[in-house]
Amino acid sequence: MGTPDDVYVRRQSALMDSFDDQSIAIFPTNSSMTRSRDVHFPFRASSDMLYLTGCEQEECTLVLSKVGGVVSSTLFVQPNDTLQEIWTGRRPGIEGSRSLPVDVVDSNENLLDFLNKIKDSINSIAYVMGERKVLDKWVHDAVYTETRARQKSGVGPKRITDPRPYLSELRLRKDSHELESMQKAADIAVKAHIEAMEKATPDMNECEFQGIIEGAFLSHGSHWSYPSIVAGGDNATILHYHANDAVLKDGDLLLIDAGCEVDGYASDVTRTFPVSGHFTEPQREIYQAVLDAQRAAIAACKVGEQVTAPNDAARRVLSEHLIRLDVIDESMDEPTGPDGVGLWFMHGIGHWLGLDVHDVGIYSIDSSSRVFEPGMVITIEPGLYFASWRTDVDVPERYAGIGVRIEDDILITNDGPVNLTEACPVEIDDIEALMNGD
Ligand code: GLY
Ligand code: MN
Ligand code: MN
Protein backbone atom coordinates (compact mmCIF):
# COMPACT_ATOMS: atom_id res chain seq x y z
CA MET A 1 0.00 0.00 0.00
CA GLY A 2 1.35 3.39 -0.95
CA THR A 3 0.10 5.32 2.07
CA PRO A 4 3.01 6.83 4.06
CA ASP A 5 3.22 6.11 7.79
CA ASP A 6 2.69 9.74 8.78
CA VAL A 7 -0.68 9.72 7.02
CA TYR A 8 -1.85 6.82 9.18
CA VAL A 9 -0.48 8.55 12.28
CA ARG A 10 -2.37 11.73 11.36
CA ARG A 11 -5.58 9.71 10.95
CA GLN A 12 -5.06 8.16 14.40
CA SER A 13 -4.50 11.61 15.93
CA ALA A 14 -7.46 13.12 14.10
CA LEU A 15 -9.67 10.41 15.53
CA MET A 16 -8.39 10.92 19.07
CA ASP A 17 -9.04 14.69 18.68
CA SER A 18 -12.71 13.72 18.87
CA PHE A 19 -12.29 12.42 22.42
CA ASP A 20 -11.43 14.10 25.72
CA ASP A 21 -8.07 13.66 27.32
CA GLN A 22 -7.62 10.40 29.25
CA SER A 23 -9.40 8.32 26.63
CA ILE A 24 -8.61 5.14 24.81
CA ALA A 25 -10.12 3.76 21.61
CA ILE A 26 -10.01 0.03 20.96
CA PHE A 27 -10.33 -1.41 17.45
CA PRO A 28 -10.21 -5.17 17.07
CA THR A 29 -10.02 -6.35 13.50
CA ASN A 30 -12.54 -8.95 12.42
CA SER A 31 -11.95 -12.64 13.01
CA SER A 32 -11.64 -15.31 10.38
CA MET A 33 -15.05 -16.88 9.62
CA THR A 34 -15.80 -20.52 8.91
CA ARG A 35 -17.66 -21.33 5.69
CA SER A 36 -17.94 -25.07 6.24
CA ARG A 37 -15.95 -27.64 8.19
CA ASP A 38 -12.26 -26.70 8.02
CA VAL A 39 -12.96 -24.19 5.24
CA HIS A 40 -12.77 -20.48 5.91
CA PHE A 41 -14.10 -17.49 4.02
CA PRO A 42 -11.23 -15.48 2.56
CA PHE A 43 -10.17 -13.10 5.31
CA ARG A 44 -10.44 -9.36 4.86
CA ALA A 45 -9.32 -7.00 7.62
CA SER A 46 -11.90 -4.60 8.98
CA SER A 47 -12.11 -1.31 7.11
CA ASP A 48 -11.41 0.72 10.26
CA MET A 49 -8.18 -1.20 10.87
CA LEU A 50 -7.14 -0.68 7.25
CA TYR A 51 -7.89 3.04 7.51
CA LEU A 52 -6.00 3.55 10.75
CA THR A 53 -2.98 1.29 10.21
CA GLY A 54 -3.10 -0.50 6.83
CA CYS A 55 -2.66 -3.73 8.83
CA GLU A 56 -4.22 -6.67 6.95
CA GLN A 57 -3.54 -9.35 9.59
CA GLU A 58 -6.14 -11.53 11.26
CA GLU A 59 -6.90 -11.32 14.97
CA CYS A 60 -5.22 -8.09 15.91
CA THR A 61 -6.31 -5.15 18.03
CA LEU A 62 -5.33 -1.50 17.86
CA VAL A 63 -5.42 0.51 21.07
CA LEU A 64 -5.11 4.28 20.72
CA SER A 65 -4.74 6.35 23.83
CA LYS A 66 -4.67 10.03 24.65
CA VAL A 67 -3.24 10.88 28.04
CA GLY A 68 -1.85 14.30 28.89
CA GLY A 69 -2.61 15.34 25.32
CA VAL A 70 -0.24 12.74 23.89
CA VAL A 71 -1.67 10.21 21.45
CA SER A 72 0.00 6.81 21.35
CA SER A 73 -0.79 3.63 19.54
CA THR A 74 -0.23 -0.04 20.36
CA LEU A 75 -1.03 -2.85 17.99
CA PHE A 76 -1.51 -6.34 19.34
CA VAL A 77 -0.89 -9.07 16.78
CA GLN A 78 -0.75 -12.83 16.54
CA PRO A 79 2.71 -13.99 17.62
CA ASN A 80 4.60 -16.43 15.42
CA ASP A 81 3.51 -20.04 15.85
CA THR A 82 5.29 -22.54 13.64
CA LEU A 83 2.68 -25.29 13.85
CA GLN A 84 -0.20 -22.92 13.08
CA GLU A 85 1.76 -21.27 10.29
CA ILE A 86 2.41 -24.64 8.64
CA TRP A 87 -1.36 -24.94 8.22
CA THR A 88 -2.58 -21.44 7.62
CA GLY A 89 0.38 -19.51 6.25
CA ARG A 90 3.20 -17.38 7.50
CA ARG A 91 2.46 -14.63 9.99
CA PRO A 92 4.46 -11.43 10.26
CA GLY A 93 4.47 -11.90 14.04
CA ILE A 94 5.71 -9.19 16.34
CA GLU A 95 9.04 -8.53 14.63
CA GLY A 96 7.49 -8.53 11.17
CA SER A 97 4.81 -6.05 12.27
CA ARG A 98 7.21 -3.43 13.59
CA SER A 99 7.15 -1.64 10.25
CA LEU A 100 3.46 -0.83 10.74
CA PRO A 101 2.61 2.80 11.59
CA VAL A 102 2.15 2.38 15.36
CA ASP A 103 4.32 3.23 18.36
CA VAL A 104 4.43 -0.25 19.85
CA VAL A 105 3.71 -3.76 18.58
CA ASP A 106 2.95 -6.43 21.12
CA SER A 107 1.56 -9.94 21.26
CA ASN A 108 -2.16 -10.61 21.60
CA GLU A 109 -1.34 -12.49 24.79
CA ASN A 110 -0.48 -9.19 26.46
CA LEU A 111 -3.58 -7.24 25.43
CA LEU A 112 -5.58 -7.61 28.63
CA ASP A 113 -2.55 -6.93 30.84
CA PHE A 114 -1.92 -3.76 28.88
CA LEU A 115 -5.53 -2.63 29.24
CA ASN A 116 -5.55 -3.40 32.95
CA LYS A 117 -2.40 -1.36 33.44
CA ILE A 118 -3.76 1.78 31.79
CA LYS A 119 -7.28 1.42 33.17
CA ASP A 120 -6.84 3.73 36.13
CA SER A 121 -5.42 6.52 34.02
CA ILE A 122 -8.40 6.84 31.68
CA ASN A 123 -11.85 8.35 31.92
CA SER A 124 -13.51 6.95 28.83
CA ILE A 125 -13.31 4.08 26.38
CA ALA A 126 -14.29 4.30 22.72
CA TYR A 127 -15.29 0.82 21.62
CA VAL A 128 -18.09 -0.82 19.65
CA MET A 129 -19.70 -3.27 22.06
CA GLY A 130 -20.24 -6.69 20.46
CA GLU A 131 -17.12 -6.66 18.30
CA ARG A 132 -15.15 -9.18 20.33
CA LYS A 133 -16.32 -11.08 23.40
CA VAL A 134 -13.16 -10.80 25.46
CA LEU A 135 -13.05 -7.03 24.90
CA ASP A 136 -16.79 -6.65 25.53
CA LYS A 137 -16.24 -8.22 28.95
CA TRP A 138 -13.19 -6.12 29.74
CA VAL A 139 -14.93 -2.87 28.77
CA HIS A 140 -18.12 -3.79 30.60
CA ASP A 141 -16.27 -4.78 33.76
CA ALA A 142 -14.02 -1.71 33.65
CA VAL A 143 -16.96 0.70 33.42
CA TYR A 144 -19.86 -1.01 35.18
CA THR A 145 -18.64 -3.81 37.44
CA GLU A 146 -15.90 -1.74 38.96
CA THR A 147 -18.07 1.21 39.94
CA ARG A 148 -17.72 0.31 43.64
CA ALA A 149 -13.95 0.25 43.39
CA ARG A 150 -14.05 3.57 41.54
CA GLN A 151 -16.23 5.02 44.30
CA LYS A 152 -13.32 4.53 46.67
CA SER A 153 -10.37 5.16 44.37
CA GLY A 154 -11.88 7.93 42.23
CA VAL A 155 -10.06 6.65 39.16
CA GLY A 156 -10.97 4.53 36.18
CA PRO A 157 -13.17 4.75 33.08
CA LYS A 158 -16.71 6.04 33.49
CA ARG A 159 -17.95 6.17 29.93
CA ILE A 160 -18.17 4.04 26.83
CA THR A 161 -18.28 6.01 23.58
CA ASP A 162 -19.14 4.72 20.12
CA PRO A 163 -16.14 5.69 17.93
CA ARG A 164 -17.95 5.04 14.66
CA PRO A 165 -19.60 8.42 14.08
CA TYR A 166 -16.22 10.16 14.46
CA LEU A 167 -14.27 7.68 12.37
CA SER A 168 -16.98 7.68 9.70
CA GLU A 169 -16.67 11.43 9.27
CA LEU A 170 -12.93 11.05 8.71
CA ARG A 171 -13.34 8.14 6.30
CA LEU A 172 -16.03 9.98 4.33
CA ARG A 173 -13.56 12.53 2.93
CA LYS A 174 -10.89 10.72 0.98
CA ASP A 175 -7.28 11.92 0.91
CA SER A 176 -5.01 11.71 -2.14
CA HIS A 177 -3.66 8.27 -1.12
CA GLU A 178 -7.13 6.84 -0.84
CA LEU A 179 -8.13 8.39 -4.15
CA GLU A 180 -5.12 6.85 -5.84
CA SER A 181 -6.26 3.38 -4.71
CA MET A 182 -9.85 4.15 -5.69
CA GLN A 183 -8.79 5.26 -9.16
CA LYS A 184 -6.85 2.00 -9.57
CA ALA A 185 -9.90 -0.02 -8.49
CA ALA A 186 -12.00 2.02 -10.92
CA ASP A 187 -9.56 1.46 -13.80
CA ILE A 188 -9.47 -2.32 -13.29
CA ALA A 189 -13.27 -2.48 -13.12
CA VAL A 190 -13.50 -0.47 -16.34
CA LYS A 191 -11.11 -2.89 -18.08
CA ALA A 192 -13.18 -5.85 -16.87
CA HIS A 193 -16.48 -4.39 -18.12
CA ILE A 194 -14.95 -3.54 -21.48
CA GLU A 195 -13.62 -7.08 -21.84
CA ALA A 196 -17.09 -8.47 -21.09
CA MET A 197 -18.64 -6.25 -23.78
CA GLU A 198 -15.97 -7.19 -26.30
CA LYS A 199 -16.39 -10.92 -25.73
CA ALA A 200 -20.20 -10.97 -25.59
CA THR A 201 -22.14 -13.23 -27.93
CA PRO A 202 -25.70 -14.53 -27.64
CA ASP A 203 -26.07 -18.01 -26.08
CA MET A 204 -23.35 -17.39 -23.49
CA ASN A 205 -24.19 -18.22 -19.90
CA GLU A 206 -24.22 -15.46 -17.27
CA CYS A 207 -21.50 -17.37 -15.41
CA GLU A 208 -19.18 -17.07 -18.42
CA PHE A 209 -19.44 -13.29 -18.15
CA GLN A 210 -18.82 -13.57 -14.43
CA GLY A 211 -15.67 -15.54 -15.29
CA ILE A 212 -14.50 -12.82 -17.71
CA ILE A 213 -15.13 -10.04 -15.20
CA GLU A 214 -13.63 -11.73 -12.16
CA GLY A 215 -10.78 -13.19 -14.24
CA ALA A 216 -9.90 -9.64 -15.24
CA PHE A 217 -9.97 -8.55 -11.60
CA LEU A 218 -7.61 -11.37 -10.62
CA SER A 219 -5.26 -10.89 -13.53
CA HIS A 220 -4.83 -7.27 -12.46
CA GLY A 221 -4.00 -8.29 -8.89
CA SER A 222 -7.43 -7.45 -7.57
CA HIS A 223 -10.59 -9.32 -6.56
CA TRP A 224 -14.26 -8.51 -6.28
CA SER A 225 -15.40 -5.93 -3.75
CA TYR A 226 -18.89 -7.50 -3.63
CA PRO A 227 -20.34 -10.57 -5.33
CA SER A 228 -20.82 -9.77 -9.01
CA ILE A 229 -24.36 -9.39 -10.31
CA VAL A 230 -24.53 -10.79 -13.85
CA ALA A 231 -28.13 -10.69 -14.93
CA GLY A 232 -29.53 -11.29 -18.41
CA GLY A 233 -33.03 -10.40 -19.66
CA ASP A 234 -35.65 -10.47 -16.93
CA ASN A 235 -33.02 -11.37 -14.31
CA ALA A 236 -31.79 -7.80 -14.58
CA THR A 237 -35.02 -6.69 -12.91
CA ILE A 238 -33.92 -8.42 -9.69
CA LEU A 239 -31.84 -5.84 -7.89
CA HIS A 240 -29.60 -8.22 -5.96
CA TYR A 241 -29.65 -11.11 -8.44
CA HIS A 242 -26.84 -13.53 -7.67
CA ALA A 243 -27.62 -16.88 -9.31
CA ASN A 244 -25.57 -15.89 -12.39
CA ASP A 245 -26.37 -19.17 -14.12
CA ALA A 246 -28.85 -18.49 -16.94
CA VAL A 247 -28.17 -18.77 -20.67
CA LEU A 248 -28.65 -15.51 -22.55
CA LYS A 249 -30.74 -15.23 -25.67
CA ASP A 250 -30.23 -13.17 -28.76
CA GLY A 251 -32.00 -9.89 -28.05
CA ASP A 252 -31.40 -9.96 -24.29
CA LEU A 253 -29.87 -7.11 -22.41
CA LEU A 254 -27.18 -8.10 -19.92
CA LEU A 255 -26.72 -6.09 -16.71
CA ILE A 256 -23.35 -6.51 -15.02
CA ASP A 257 -22.88 -4.85 -11.64
CA ALA A 258 -19.32 -5.70 -10.63
CA GLY A 259 -16.47 -3.91 -8.91
CA CYS A 260 -13.14 -4.74 -7.38
CA GLU A 261 -10.88 -3.79 -4.53
CA VAL A 262 -7.42 -2.21 -4.44
CA ASP A 263 -5.72 -1.69 -1.05
CA GLY A 264 -9.14 -2.40 0.43
CA TYR A 265 -10.82 0.39 -1.58
CA ALA A 266 -13.79 -0.54 -3.73
CA SER A 267 -15.04 0.31 -7.16
CA ASP A 268 -18.71 -0.31 -7.98
CA VAL A 269 -19.68 -0.23 -11.66
CA THR A 270 -22.77 -1.25 -13.59
CA ARG A 271 -23.17 -1.42 -17.34
CA THR A 272 -26.09 -2.79 -19.31
CA PHE A 273 -25.64 -3.86 -22.94
CA PRO A 274 -27.32 -6.04 -25.57
CA VAL A 275 -25.55 -9.41 -25.93
CA SER A 276 -26.15 -9.28 -29.69
CA GLY A 277 -24.34 -5.94 -29.94
CA HIS A 278 -27.46 -3.99 -31.00
CA PHE A 279 -30.11 -2.37 -28.79
CA THR A 280 -33.71 -2.92 -29.87
CA GLU A 281 -35.95 0.18 -30.08
CA PRO A 282 -37.69 -0.40 -26.71
CA GLN A 283 -34.32 -1.14 -25.08
CA ARG A 284 -32.92 2.10 -26.51
CA GLU A 285 -35.83 4.11 -25.13
CA ILE A 286 -35.35 2.80 -21.61
CA TYR A 287 -31.56 2.88 -21.75
CA GLN A 288 -31.51 6.51 -22.93
CA ALA A 289 -33.91 7.49 -20.15
CA VAL A 290 -31.59 5.96 -17.54
CA LEU A 291 -28.51 7.49 -19.14
CA ASP A 292 -30.03 10.98 -19.25
CA ALA A 293 -31.11 10.58 -15.62
CA GLN A 294 -27.60 9.52 -14.67
CA ARG A 295 -26.08 12.54 -16.42
CA ALA A 296 -28.42 14.90 -14.61
CA ALA A 297 -27.65 13.22 -11.29
CA ILE A 298 -23.89 13.39 -11.84
CA ALA A 299 -24.17 17.08 -12.72
CA ALA A 300 -25.79 17.64 -9.32
CA CYS A 301 -22.77 16.20 -7.47
CA LYS A 302 -21.35 19.61 -6.66
CA VAL A 303 -19.68 21.04 -3.58
CA GLY A 304 -22.33 22.75 -1.45
CA GLU A 305 -25.24 20.94 -3.13
CA GLN A 306 -27.46 18.80 -0.90
CA VAL A 307 -26.66 15.09 -1.21
CA THR A 308 -30.32 14.52 -2.08
CA ALA A 309 -29.93 16.63 -5.24
CA PRO A 310 -28.75 13.78 -7.54
CA ASN A 311 -31.74 11.67 -6.60
CA ASP A 312 -34.14 14.55 -7.25
CA ALA A 313 -32.48 15.32 -10.58
CA ALA A 314 -32.56 11.69 -11.74
CA ARG A 315 -36.22 11.26 -10.80
CA ARG A 316 -37.19 14.45 -12.63
CA VAL A 317 -35.50 13.27 -15.83
CA LEU A 318 -36.89 9.75 -15.51
CA SER A 319 -40.39 11.12 -15.07
CA GLU A 320 -40.07 13.24 -18.22
CA HIS A 321 -39.00 10.18 -20.22
CA LEU A 322 -41.62 7.87 -18.70
CA ILE A 323 -44.41 10.37 -19.38
CA ARG A 324 -43.26 10.69 -23.01
CA LEU A 325 -43.08 6.89 -23.31
CA ASP A 326 -46.60 6.58 -21.87
CA VAL A 327 -45.46 4.55 -18.87
CA ILE A 328 -46.66 7.09 -16.33
CA ASP A 329 -49.35 9.71 -16.53
CA GLU A 330 -48.52 13.40 -16.73
CA SER A 331 -51.65 14.26 -14.76
CA MET A 332 -50.18 12.61 -11.67
CA ASP A 333 -49.70 14.86 -8.65
CA GLU A 334 -46.20 13.58 -8.14
CA PRO A 335 -44.78 11.69 -11.13
CA THR A 336 -41.37 11.42 -9.42
CA GLY A 337 -42.93 9.78 -6.34
CA PRO A 338 -43.71 6.20 -5.37
CA ASP A 339 -46.74 5.89 -7.66
CA GLY A 340 -44.88 7.22 -10.67
CA VAL A 341 -41.16 6.77 -11.24
CA GLY A 342 -40.90 4.88 -7.94
CA LEU A 343 -42.78 1.91 -9.39
CA TRP A 344 -39.97 1.33 -11.88
CA PHE A 345 -36.95 2.79 -10.05
CA MET A 346 -37.21 1.41 -6.56
CA HIS A 347 -33.77 1.94 -5.03
CA GLY A 348 -31.72 4.93 -4.01
CA ILE A 349 -29.61 6.89 -6.49
CA GLY A 350 -26.33 5.82 -4.88
CA HIS A 351 -24.20 5.51 -1.78
CA TRP A 352 -20.84 6.60 -0.40
CA LEU A 353 -17.97 4.51 -1.71
CA GLY A 354 -14.62 3.81 -0.09
CA LEU A 355 -13.16 1.02 2.02
CA ASP A 356 -16.70 -0.33 2.21
CA VAL A 357 -18.76 -0.59 -0.96
CA HIS A 358 -21.64 0.96 0.91
CA ASP A 359 -19.25 3.20 2.75
CA VAL A 360 -19.65 4.89 6.10
CA GLY A 361 -20.95 8.42 6.58
CA ILE A 362 -24.33 9.86 7.35
CA TYR A 363 -26.44 11.37 4.59
CA SER A 364 -28.47 13.69 6.82
CA ILE A 365 -27.61 15.87 9.77
CA ASP A 366 -30.46 16.61 12.21
CA SER A 367 -32.95 15.33 9.65
CA SER A 368 -31.75 17.60 6.83
CA SER A 369 -29.65 16.53 3.92
CA ARG A 370 -25.95 17.21 4.36
CA VAL A 371 -24.09 18.91 1.54
CA PHE A 372 -21.35 17.60 -0.70
CA GLU A 373 -17.75 18.39 0.24
CA PRO A 374 -14.53 17.85 -1.70
CA GLY A 375 -13.11 14.34 -1.31
CA MET A 376 -16.44 12.55 -0.92
CA VAL A 377 -17.03 9.71 -3.38
CA ILE A 378 -20.55 8.58 -4.23
CA THR A 379 -21.96 6.12 -6.72
CA ILE A 380 -24.61 7.36 -9.11
CA GLU A 381 -26.72 4.44 -10.27
CA PRO A 382 -30.21 5.11 -11.58
CA GLY A 383 -32.13 2.26 -13.14
CA LEU A 384 -35.48 1.22 -14.61
CA TYR A 385 -36.81 -2.28 -14.08
CA PHE A 386 -39.82 -3.73 -15.90
CA ALA A 387 -40.08 -7.23 -14.43
CA SER A 388 -42.34 -9.26 -16.71
CA TRP A 389 -43.31 -11.42 -13.72
CA ARG A 390 -44.70 -8.56 -11.63
CA THR A 391 -48.39 -8.89 -10.81
CA ASP A 392 -48.83 -5.90 -8.50
CA VAL A 393 -48.86 -3.43 -11.41
CA ASP A 394 -49.58 -3.47 -15.14
CA VAL A 395 -46.16 -3.83 -16.68
CA PRO A 396 -46.05 -2.06 -20.09
CA GLU A 397 -45.82 -4.87 -22.63
CA ARG A 398 -43.34 -2.98 -24.79
CA TYR A 399 -40.83 -2.91 -21.95
CA ALA A 400 -41.58 -6.17 -20.15
CA GLY A 401 -38.34 -8.03 -19.35
CA ILE A 402 -36.12 -4.97 -19.60
CA GLY A 403 -33.89 -4.01 -16.67
CA VAL A 404 -31.31 -1.26 -17.05
CA ARG A 405 -28.93 0.22 -14.48
CA ILE A 406 -25.94 2.44 -15.16
CA GLU A 407 -23.51 3.06 -12.31
CA ASP A 408 -20.38 5.18 -12.05
CA ASP A 409 -18.17 6.30 -9.17
CA ILE A 410 -18.13 10.06 -8.70
CA LEU A 411 -15.56 12.10 -6.80
CA ILE A 412 -16.70 15.48 -5.50
CA THR A 413 -14.16 18.24 -6.17
CA ASN A 414 -14.11 22.03 -6.07
CA ASP A 415 -13.93 21.90 -9.86
CA GLY A 416 -17.07 19.80 -10.20
CA PRO A 417 -17.80 16.07 -10.31
CA VAL A 418 -15.03 13.75 -11.50
CA ASN A 419 -16.19 10.40 -12.83
CA LEU A 420 -13.59 7.83 -11.77
CA THR A 421 -15.13 5.22 -14.11
CA GLU A 422 -15.68 7.50 -17.07
CA ALA A 423 -13.50 5.35 -19.35
CA CYS A 424 -16.17 2.64 -19.42
CA PRO A 425 -18.34 3.15 -22.53
CA VAL A 426 -21.86 4.20 -21.70
CA GLU A 427 -23.33 5.89 -24.80
CA ILE A 428 -25.45 3.61 -26.98
CA ASP A 429 -23.31 4.32 -30.03
CA ASP A 430 -20.06 3.73 -28.16
CA ILE A 431 -21.24 0.41 -26.71
CA GLU A 432 -22.46 -0.80 -30.10
CA ALA A 433 -19.23 0.30 -31.76
CA LEU A 434 -17.11 -1.50 -29.16
CA MET A 435 -19.17 -4.68 -29.39
CA ASN A 436 -19.12 -4.75 -33.16
CA GLY A 437 -15.43 -3.92 -33.46
CA ASP A 438 -16.16 -0.67 -35.35
N1 GLY B 1 -23.20 -3.33 -6.17
C1 GLY B 1 -23.95 -2.90 -5.08
C2 GLY B 1 -24.52 -1.61 -5.31
O1 GLY B 1 -24.54 -1.13 -6.43
O2 GLY B 1 -24.93 -0.95 -4.41
MN1 MN C 1 -23.63 0.75 -5.91
MN1 MN D 1 -23.21 -1.73 -7.98
Side-chain angles (χ1 to χ4, degrees):
M1 192 160 178
T3 306
D5 285 2
D6 63 309
V7 172
Y8 288 114
V9 171
R10 274 207 300 278
R11 291 177 190 168
Q12 296 165 11
S13 291
L15 175 67
M16 294 312 286
D17 281 348
S18 316
F19 306 124
D20 293 338
D21 200 40
Q22 294 183 277
S23 301
I24 58 169
I26 310 176
F27 294 97
T29 200
N30 34 321
S31 303
S32 166
M33 301 282 286
T34 304
R35 180 178 183 276
S36 66
R37 281 170 56 90
D38 295 340
V39 177
H40 287 75
F41 284 106
F43 175 78
R44 179 192 184 271
S46 76
S47 297
D48 289 341
M49 181 64 83
L50 291 175
Y51 181 75
L52 291 168
T53 67
C55 174
E56 297 177 352
Q57 297 177 40
E58 295 182 23
E59 302 288 342
C60 49
T61 302
L62 173 69
V63 182
L64 298 174
S65 69
K66 183 164 79 170
V67 176
V70 177
V71 173
S72 45
S73 53
T74 309
L75 185 68
F76 294 86
V77 301
Q78 287 181 315
N80 285 112
D81 178 332
T82 306
L83 277 185
Q84 278 298 321
E85 289 178 51
I86 284 171
W87 285 96
T88 57
R90 300 303 309 277
R91 291 178 187 171
I94 296 162
E95 284 312 313
S97 301
R98 291 209 197 279
S99 56
L100 288 165
V102 290
D103 297 321
V104 177
V105 177
D106 202 343
S107 166
N108 279 340
E109 293 150 6
N110 299 327
L111 171 63
L112 290 185
D113 276 353
F114 173 87
L115 292 174
N116 285 330
K117 273 196 194 113
I118 58 172
K119 191 169 56 185
D120 286 348
S121 63
I122 55 173
N123 274 326
S124 70
I125 302 169
Y127 172 70
V128 181
M129 277 298 205
E131 287 217 316
R132 185 166 303 164
K133 269 199 184 117
V134 64
L135 287 168
D136 292 352
K137 177 166 168 26
W138 185 83
V139 171
H140 181 274
D141 287 354
V143 176
Y144 298 121
T145 313
E146 294 172 25
T147 49
R148 289 294 300 235
R150 202 168 56 235
Q151 194 179 15
K152 284 194 193 135
S153 67
V155 296
K158 304 163 195 66
R159 275 192 313 282
I160 305 171
T161 321
D162 184 347
R164 287 173 297 188
Y166 308 100
L167 194 49
S168 301
E169 281 300 300
L170 296 177
R171 282 180 46 191
L172 180 55
R173 301 166 186 89
K174 276 70 182 173
D175 63 32
S176 60
H177 307 283
E178 298 180 282
L179 291 172
E180 197 181 315
S181 301
M182 293 190 77
Q183 186 63 67
K184 284 184 191 156
D187 291 345
I188 295 170
V190 166
K191 285 195 178 100
H193 281 264
I194 289 176
E195 196 175 327
M197 286 182 205
E198 283 171 342
K199 292 190 172 157
T201 54
D203 303 328
M204 281 172 71
N205 191 298
E206 290 164 347
C207 67
E208 294 177 74
F209 285 98
Q210 182 178 355
I212 294 168
I213 289 276
E214 294 179 13
F217 293 164
L218 291 173
S219 67
H220 288 96
S222 182
H223 50 79
W224 55 252
S225 49
Y226 55 91
S228 308
I229 297 169
V230 185
D234 234 355
N235 294 335
T237 64
I238 297 167
L239 302 179
H240 288 170
Y241 177 73
H242 53 76
N244 298 358
D245 62 358
V247 175
L248 290 141
K249 296 188 302 292
D250 201 0
D252 277 346
L253 282 180
L254 176 64
L255 181 158
I256 301 181
D257 182 346
C260 59
E261 212 176 83
V262 170
D263 303 327
Y265 288 85
S267 53
D268 182 4
V269 180
T270 308
R271 286 294 183 268
T272 309
F273 55 90
V275 276
S276 67
H278 298 281
F279 287 85
T280 64
E281 243 347 276
Q283 289 170 352
R284 265 170 195 271
E285 290 162 7
I286 298 305
Y287 188 93
Q288 196 60 51
V290 175
L291 182 56
D292 289 347
Q294 201 217 21
R295 289 235 181 74
I298 291 173
C301 293
K302 289 195 294 220
V303 170
E305 190 74 74
Q306 294 198 324
V307 302
T308 47
N311 187 48
D312 296 342
R315 281 171 195 277
R316 257 193 320 275
V317 172
L318 287 175
S319 71
E320 286 159 17
H321 275 275
L322 293 182
I323 287 168
R324 192 176 45 76
L325 297 172
D326 246 350
V327 174
I328 62 176
D329 190 339
E330 67 183 323
S331 67
M332 290 179 119
D333 285 342
E334 209 199 333
T336 58
D339 299 330
V341 168
L343 279 181
W344 315 106
F345 171 38
M346 53 296 268
H347 55 80
I349 189 67
H351 49 83
W352 303 129
L353 184 71
L355 282 164
D356 288 293
V357 179
H358 289 188
D359 206 26
V360 292
I362 53 174
Y363 295 91
S364 298
I365 297 174
D366 294 333
S367 306
S368 344
S369 171
R370 76 182 304 160
V371 296
F372 284 120
E373 296 171 47
M376 295 174 168
V377 180
I378 192 166
T379 67
I380 294 294
E381 47 181 307
L384 285 173
Y385 310 92
F386 297 95
S388 66
W389 42 270
R390 261 180 100 166
T391 51
D392 59 326
V393 280
D394 287 332
V395 179
E397 211 178 308
R398 180 172 175 78
Y399 304 120
I402 293 179
V404 172
R405 178 163 64 255
I406 305 172
E407 176 173 26
D408 285 290
D409 303 342
I410 308 301
L411 165 66
I412 312 299
T413 79
N414 280 322
D415 299 324
V418 172
N419 185 347
L420 303 180
T421 44
E422 184 160 34
C424 197
V426 71
E427 293 286 341
I428 289 177
D429 287 350
D430 292 342
I431 289 175
E432 290 189 344
L434 175 72
M435 295 186 71
N436 296 293
D438 298 344

